[in-house]
Amino acid sequence: MEIDGIISAIVIGIVIGVLGRLVIPGRQRIGVLWTILVGIIAALIGSAIAGAFGVADTDGVDWVEWLIQIGLAALGVSALDRSKARRR
């Protein structure tokens, strides 16, 4: 992976993480860096899942891929929030 791929993964991860966080109602007890990390991981896994189903490269905007990524980010943020709440 080249430097532009890493930078684009970080930017997409930020967007996916924030959108995933917005999907979950209420306040989350995780920081911005955790949200970005969850977003990056969700973007990578979501792209792989979309590629496996053949919906990663379509004409125009890849809405299905975005929905998969946002859903994974929401699950990740929710799981991390719950694990932090149990520790307190």
Side-chain angles (χ1 to χ4, degrees):
M1 183 178 273
E2 295 180 15
I3 191 71
D4 61 339
I6 294 170
I7 292 172
S8 65
I10 291 171
V11 171
I12 291 170
I14 291 169
V15 172
I16 294 295
V18 169
L19 290 174
R21 194 172 176 144
L22 288 174
V23 171
I24 303 170
R27 184 177 185 275
Q28 291 82 38
R29 293 172 287 278
I30 64 171
V32 174
L33 293 177
W34 281 112
T35 302
I36 293 169
L37 183 63
V38 167
I40 292 170
I41 293 168
L44 294 172
I45 294 172
S47 292
I49 291 171
F53 285 113
V55 294
D57 295 320
T58 59
D59 294 335
V61 179
D62 298 326
W63 293 109
V64 176
E65 183 177 11
W66 275 86
L67 290 174
I68 293 169
Q69 292 171 337
I70 293 169
L72 288 173
L75 287 173
V77 167
S78 178
L80 190 60
D81 182 48
R82 287 182 184 170
S83 72
K84 287 204 177 263
R86 288 183 187 152
R87 286 190 222 164
R88 293 180 183 176

